Protein backbone atom coordinates (compact mmCIF):
# COMPACT_ATOMS: atom_id res chain seq x y z
CA UNK A 1 0.00 0.00 0.00
CA UNK A 2 1.50 3.35 -1.13
CA UNK A 3 2.19 5.86 1.62
CA UNK A 4 0.96 9.16 0.19
CA UNK A 5 1.75 12.29 2.11
CA UNK A 6 0.21 15.67 1.40
CA UNK A 7 2.24 18.86 1.71
CA UNK A 8 1.15 20.78 4.74
CA UNK A 9 -0.86 23.92 3.99
CA UNK A 10 0.27 27.07 5.84
CA UNK A 11 -2.26 28.46 8.14
CA UNK A 12 -4.12 31.66 7.38
CA UNK A 13 -2.14 33.45 10.07
CA UNK A 14 1.17 32.41 8.52
CA UNK A 15 0.04 33.60 5.09
CA UNK A 16 -0.86 36.96 6.55
CA UNK A 17 2.52 37.17 8.26
CA UNK A 18 4.37 36.33 5.02
CA UNK A 19 2.35 38.90 3.10
CA UNK A 20 3.05 41.53 5.72
CA UNK A 21 6.78 40.74 5.65
CA UNK A 22 6.86 41.03 1.85
CA UNK A 23 5.02 44.35 2.00
CA UNK A 24 7.39 45.70 4.61
CA UNK A 25 10.40 44.57 2.57
CA UNK A 26 9.08 46.20 -0.59
CA UNK A 27 8.32 49.40 1.29
CA UNK A 28 11.82 49.45 2.77
CA UNK A 29 13.38 48.99 -0.68
CA UNK A 30 11.22 51.80 -2.06
CA UNK A 31 12.06 54.21 0.76
CA UNK A 32 15.77 53.35 1.05
CA UNK A 33 16.66 52.89 -2.61
CA UNK A 34 14.01 54.05 -5.09
CA UNK A 35 13.02 57.38 -3.52
CA UNK A 36 16.57 58.83 -3.28
CA UNK A 37 17.81 57.35 -6.57
CA UNK A 38 14.80 58.29 -8.71
CA UNK A 39 12.89 61.11 -7.03
CA UNK A 40 15.40 63.07 -4.89
CA UNK A 41 13.49 62.05 -1.75
CA UNK A 42 15.57 60.77 1.14
CA UNK A 43 13.48 60.66 4.35
CA UNK A 44 15.91 58.33 6.14
CA UNK A 45 19.20 59.87 5.02
CA UNK A 46 20.30 56.51 3.62
CA UNK A 47 20.50 57.90 0.08
CA UNK A 48 22.87 60.66 1.13
CA UNK A 49 25.10 58.28 3.08
CA UNK A 50 25.34 55.79 0.22
CA UNK A 51 25.40 58.29 -2.66
CA UNK A 52 22.16 56.98 -4.15
CA UNK A 53 20.67 60.49 -4.16
CA UNK A 54 23.20 61.53 -6.83
CA UNK A 55 21.91 58.95 -9.31
CA UNK A 56 18.80 61.02 -10.04
CA UNK A 57 20.90 63.95 -11.32
CA UNK A 58 20.25 67.61 -10.46
CA UNK A 59 16.82 68.30 -9.06
CA UNK A 60 14.70 70.64 -11.15
CA UNK A 61 12.74 72.81 -8.77
CA UNK A 62 10.89 74.86 -11.39
CA UNK A 63 11.11 75.71 -15.05
CA UNK A 64 10.78 79.35 -16.09
CA UNK A 65 10.18 80.56 -19.61
CA UNK A 66 13.04 82.72 -20.94
CA UNK A 67 11.98 86.28 -21.81
CA UNK A 68 11.60 87.14 -25.48
CA UNK A 69 11.69 90.37 -27.47
CA UNK A 70 13.99 93.26 -26.46
CA UNK A 71 14.69 91.62 -23.09
CA UNK A 72 15.56 88.21 -24.53
CA UNK A 73 18.30 86.37 -22.67
CA UNK A 74 19.43 84.54 -25.82
CA UNK A 75 20.05 86.03 -29.24
CA UNK A 76 20.89 84.74 -32.70
CA UNK A 77 22.81 86.63 -35.38
CA UNK A 78 23.12 86.44 -39.14
CA UNK A 79 26.79 87.46 -39.05
CA UNK A 80 29.72 85.53 -37.59
CA UNK A 81 31.30 86.28 -34.21
CA UNK A 82 34.46 88.35 -34.56
CA UNK A 83 37.34 89.69 -32.45
CA UNK A 84 39.56 92.71 -33.10
CA UNK A 85 42.45 94.35 -31.27
CA UNK A 86 42.98 98.09 -31.80
CA UNK A 87 45.76 100.39 -30.54
CA UNK A 88 44.93 104.10 -30.50
CA UNK A 89 47.90 106.47 -30.12
CA UNK A 90 47.17 109.86 -28.54
CA UNK A 91 50.05 112.36 -28.61
CA UNK A 92 50.16 115.22 -26.06
CA UNK A 93 49.43 117.97 -28.60
CA UNK A 94 46.61 119.30 -30.77
CA UNK A 95 45.98 115.74 -32.07
CA UNK A 96 45.27 114.45 -28.58
CA UNK A 97 41.64 113.46 -29.23
CA UNK A 98 39.65 111.31 -31.66
CA UNK A 99 36.62 109.05 -32.01
CA UNK A 100 36.65 105.33 -32.69
CA UNK A 101 33.37 103.50 -33.25
CA UNK A 102 31.99 100.34 -34.84
CA UNK A 103 28.79 99.74 -36.82
CA UNK A 104 26.01 97.87 -35.04
CA UNK A 105 22.39 96.96 -35.73
CA UNK A 106 19.67 96.95 -33.06
CA UNK A 107 20.26 93.99 -30.73
CA UNK A 108 23.88 93.43 -31.83
CA UNK A 109 26.18 92.65 -28.90
CA UNK A 110 29.65 94.09 -28.29
CA UNK A 111 31.97 92.91 -25.50
CA UNK A 112 34.94 95.19 -24.87
CA UNK A 113 37.99 95.67 -22.70
CA UNK A 114 40.48 98.55 -22.83
CA UNK A 115 43.50 99.83 -20.96
CA UNK A 116 45.73 102.90 -21.28
CA UNK A 117 49.52 103.01 -21.06
CA UNK A 118 51.96 105.93 -21.10
CA UNK A 119 51.15 107.82 -17.89
CA UNK A 120 49.92 105.29 -15.36
CA UNK A 121 50.57 107.70 -12.47
CA UNK A 122 47.79 110.03 -13.56
CA UNK A 123 44.62 108.12 -14.51
CA UNK A 124 42.60 111.33 -14.29
CA UNK A 125 44.36 112.73 -17.38
CA UNK A 126 42.72 110.25 -19.75
CA UNK A 127 39.09 111.06 -20.53
CA UNK A 128 36.61 108.92 -22.45
CA UNK A 129 33.00 109.24 -23.58
CA UNK A 130 31.32 105.96 -24.52
CA UNK A 131 28.21 106.62 -26.63
CA UNK A 132 26.22 105.67 -29.73
CA UNK A 133 24.82 107.66 -32.66
CA UNK A 134 22.30 106.92 -35.38
CA UNK A 135 24.17 106.82 -38.69
CA UNK A 136 23.65 107.34 -41.55
CA UNK A 137 20.67 109.67 -41.19
CA UNK A 138 18.16 110.82 -43.80
CA UNK A 139 18.95 114.16 -45.47
CA UNK A 140 18.26 116.99 -43.06
CA UNK A 141 17.71 114.68 -40.07
CA UNK A 142 19.71 115.07 -36.87
CA UNK A 143 21.53 112.20 -35.22
CA UNK A 144 20.17 110.59 -32.09
CA UNK A 145 22.96 110.32 -29.52
CA UNK A 146 22.78 107.99 -26.51
CA UNK A 147 25.35 108.38 -23.75
CA UNK A 148 26.55 105.17 -22.08
CA UNK A 149 29.32 106.42 -19.78
CA UNK A 150 31.71 109.34 -19.33
CA UNK A 151 34.69 109.22 -16.98
CA UNK A 152 38.45 109.27 -16.53
CA UNK A 153 40.63 106.28 -15.77
CA UNK A 154 43.05 103.78 -17.25
CA UNK A 155 40.85 100.74 -17.91
CA UNK A 156 37.34 99.61 -18.65
CA UNK A 157 35.45 96.38 -19.30
CA UNK A 158 31.87 95.80 -20.29
CA UNK A 159 29.29 94.87 -22.88
CA UNK A 160 26.78 96.73 -25.02
CA UNK A 161 23.57 95.60 -26.69
CA UNK A 162 22.96 98.21 -29.40
CA UNK A 163 19.67 100.06 -28.82
CA UNK A 164 19.52 101.30 -32.43
CA UNK A 165 21.31 101.06 -35.77
CA UNK A 166 24.35 103.30 -36.06
CA UNK A 167 27.90 103.70 -34.83
CA UNK A 168 28.81 102.97 -31.23
CA UNK A 169 32.13 103.54 -29.49
CA UNK A 170 34.41 106.02 -27.81
CA UNK A 171 35.55 109.61 -27.90
CA UNK A 172 39.00 109.60 -26.19
CA UNK A 173 41.18 112.50 -25.08
CA UNK A 174 44.73 112.71 -23.76
CA UNK A 175 45.00 115.48 -21.16
CA UNK A 176 48.49 114.39 -20.10
CA UNK A 177 51.79 115.89 -21.22
CA UNK A 178 52.92 112.40 -22.25
CA UNK A 179 51.92 110.23 -25.24
CA UNK A 180 49.25 107.68 -24.39
CA UNK A 181 48.14 104.49 -26.12
CA UNK A 182 44.66 103.01 -25.73
CA UNK A 183 44.71 99.22 -26.10
CA UNK A 184 41.18 98.20 -27.12
CA UNK A 185 39.89 94.62 -27.44
CA UNK A 186 36.54 94.03 -29.13
CA UNK A 187 34.48 90.87 -29.53
CA UNK A 188 30.95 90.18 -30.64
CA UNK A 189 28.67 90.99 -33.54
CA UNK A 190 29.53 94.28 -35.25
CA UNK A 191 31.29 95.74 -38.30
CA UNK A 192 34.44 97.84 -38.39
CA UNK A 193 34.06 101.35 -39.77
CA UNK A 194 36.38 101.69 -42.81
CA UNK A 195 39.23 104.19 -42.33
CA UNK A 196 38.17 107.74 -43.13
CA UNK A 197 34.43 107.16 -42.71
CA UNK A 198 32.34 108.71 -39.97
CA UNK A 199 33.15 106.94 -36.70
CA UNK A 200 36.74 106.25 -37.77
CA UNK A 201 37.83 109.47 -39.42
CA UNK A 202 41.31 109.07 -37.90
CA UNK A 203 41.83 105.97 -40.06
CA UNK A 204 42.53 103.53 -37.21
CA UNK A 205 43.26 99.97 -38.37
CA UNK A 206 43.07 96.86 -36.17
CA UNK A 207 46.36 95.40 -35.01
CA UNK A 208 45.51 91.80 -35.86
CA UNK A 209 42.49 92.08 -38.13
CA UNK A 210 39.24 90.20 -37.64
CA UNK A 211 39.21 86.64 -36.27
Amino acid sequence: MTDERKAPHPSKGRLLALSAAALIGASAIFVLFVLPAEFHRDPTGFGRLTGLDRLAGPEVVSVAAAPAGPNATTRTYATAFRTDVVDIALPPDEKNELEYKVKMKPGDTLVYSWSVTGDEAHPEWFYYDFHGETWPNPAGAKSTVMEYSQATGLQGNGALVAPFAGVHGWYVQNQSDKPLVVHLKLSGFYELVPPGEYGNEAGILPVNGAK
Side-chain angles (χ1 to χ4, degrees):
M1 192 172 183
T2 304
D3 185 12
E4 295 182 358
R5 297 183 181 181
K6 295 182 180 180
H9 294 285
S11 65
K12 183 180 294 186
R14 180 171 176 79
L15 287 175
L16 290 175
L18 291 173
S19 298
L23 180 61
I24 293 172
S27 299
I29 292 173
F30 183 79
V31 172
L32 294 175
F33 297 93
V34 178
L35 280 180
E38 297 292 336
F39 302 102
H40 279 293
R41 299 293 180 265
D42 190 18
T44 66
F46 182 77
R48 179 177 55 81
L49 292 174
T50 59
L52 285 171
D53 58 340
R54 293 192 294 270
L55 295 178
E59 182 176 7
V60 178
V61 177
S62 63
V63 178
N71 297 320
T73 54
T74 61
R75 301 173 185 270
T76 57
Y77 302 91
T79 58
F81 180 87
R82 65 181 296 155
T83 297
D84 295 280
V85 178
V86 178
D87 285 346
I88 302 173
L90 297 172
D93 54 29
E94 69 277 1
K95 298 180 180 179
N96 67 343
E97 59 183 4
L98 59 82
E99 288 197 346
Y100 183 79
K101 297 185 174 72
V102 296
K103 296 180 181 179
M104 300 178 70
K105 298 184 292 296
D108 281 356
T109 301
L110 172 70
V111 179
Y112 63 85
S113 177
W114 57 264
S115 62
V116 180
T117 57
D119 193 0
E120 289 78 2
H122 300 93
E124 70 277 8
W125 287 352
F126 174 76
Y127 171 81
Y128 70 90
D129 178 345
F130 184 35
H131 62 280
E133 300 178 59
T134 55
W135 185 265
N137 297 295
K142 295 183 179 180
S143 296
T144 297
V145 178
M146 181 174 289
E147 294 288 349
Y148 306 134
S149 61
Q150 299 171 319
T152 59
L154 296 179
Q155 64 178 4
N157 309 283
L160 169 69
V161 177
F164 50 74
V167 290
H168 306 259
W170 295 264
Y171 163 82
V172 291
Q173 184 184 55
N174 177 10
Q175 300 175 353
S176 170
D177 58 358
K178 299 178 181 179
L180 302 180
V181 179
V182 183
H183 308 281
L184 176 63
K185 297 179 181 179
L186 304 173
S187 294
F189 302 91
Y190 58 90
E191 294 180 49
L192 294 180
V193 176
E197 290 190 9
Y198 187 76
N200 187 16
E201 295 171 307
I204 304 296
L205 293 172
V207 174
N208 64 328
K211 286 188 175 180

